[in-house]
Amino acid sequence: MADIVSERYALSLYEVAADEKKEKAYLDELTAVCEVFGREPDFLKMLTTPSIALEEKQNVLRKAFEGRIEPFLLNFLMLITEKGRVGLVQDMRQAYKEHYYFENGIVEVRAVTAKPMSAALTEKLKEKMSAVTGKQVVLETSVDPQIIGGIVVKLGNEQFDTSLRTRLSELAARLTNTIA
């Protein structure tokens, strides 16, 4: 249920942003708001506490965000606080981002390597994934020394694993089956 609710709120926000031609600005600002909530979990907890009056919650939202984010986005935050949905704001941001990416031909790719990739290699991977998908690529990289070597690329629900750890595991499984 939370997914459907989050998607509906996110789509409504996206439609307003599109009317104002500020889709990216709204995404950036909503992301910044979610980062604030992530850094200050008590802030979000206060907004979701039923015993605190709505007016007090809205005053806190105004003090924290007025003049820093789009006025409609501030009104959106007040609305979801009033409706008791502010706890879903992270899900709403994710749904908004997915809709924005879909509408703008953007795909998110995650790459995990054993050591940090150089800027040149990162750019090369980004270009390759763009050629494969035919879309603009937003590349997120991370490091996991446990994969030993190679790379694990996640594109949507697909994963391409050429890590040394996986290859060694597959080799061990084949040897075990051969011996047994």
Side-chain angles (χ1 to χ4, degrees):
M1 171 121 173
D3 289 335
I4 293 170
V5 171
S6 298
E7 286 178 19
R8 287 188 179 166
Y9 276 98
L11 184 56
S12 296
L13 181 62
Y14 187 86
E15 288 172 354
V16 170
D19 287 345
E20 295 181 4
K21 306 275 189 253
K22 295 182 178 181
E23 300 97 309
K24 178 72 167 119
Y26 274 54
L27 175 59
D28 293 343
E29 291 179 5
L30 187 56
T31 299
V33 166
C34 288
E35 287 171 359
V36 168
F37 290 151
R39 283 192 313 269
E40 303 293 335
D42 290 340
F43 186 12
L44 188 58
K45 187 176 181 181
M46 183 274 302
L47 294 174
T48 59
T49 302
S51 61
I52 298 174
L54 176 61
E55 296 80 30
E56 189 175 335
K57 293 174 185 179
Q58 291 177 334
N59 285 335
V60 169
L61 283 170
R62 274 191 210 93
K63 286 179 184 175
F65 297 116
E66 196 166 44
R68 293 179 178 91
I69 62 175
E70 292 288 330
F72 189 84
L73 185 55
L74 178 57
N75 289 340
F76 177 79
L77 291 174
M78 287 194 212
L79 174 72
I80 63 175
T81 300
E82 179 183 341
K83 299 293 184 185
R85 305 284 193 202
V86 73
L88 299 174
V89 71
Q90 296 281 1
D91 295 336
M92 292 175 195
R93 186 202 65 84
Q94 183 63 32
Y96 183 101
K97 182 177 87 168
E98 288 170 5
H99 193 74
Y100 175 80
Y101 280 9
F102 177 78
E103 290 292 323
N104 291 282
I106 300 172
V107 66
E108 192 171 65
V109 176
R110 290 188 172 93
V112 181
T113 54
K115 294 182 180 179
M117 291 193 300
S118 68
L121 189 56
T122 300
E123 191 58 36
K124 191 172 183 178
L125 177 60
K126 196 173 177 180
E127 289 172 7
K128 179 71 173 175
M129 295 310 297
S130 184
V132 167
T133 63
K135 296 182 178 187
Q136 180 182 344
V137 171
V138 173
L139 181 62
E140 180 185 308
T141 61
S142 61
V143 175
D144 180 3
Q146 292 184 1
I147 68 170
I148 305 170
I151 188 169
V152 178
V153 176
K154 295 176 184 173
L155 172 64
N157 293 331
E158 296 183 67
Q159 178 171 302
F160 308 96
D161 189 343
T162 64
S163 68
L164 191 52
R165 177 179 63 187
T166 299
R167 289 182 179 183
L168 288 172
S169 294
E170 290 170 354
L171 181 60
R174 279 190 279 172
L175 285 173
T176 302
N177 289 336
T178 303
I179 295 171

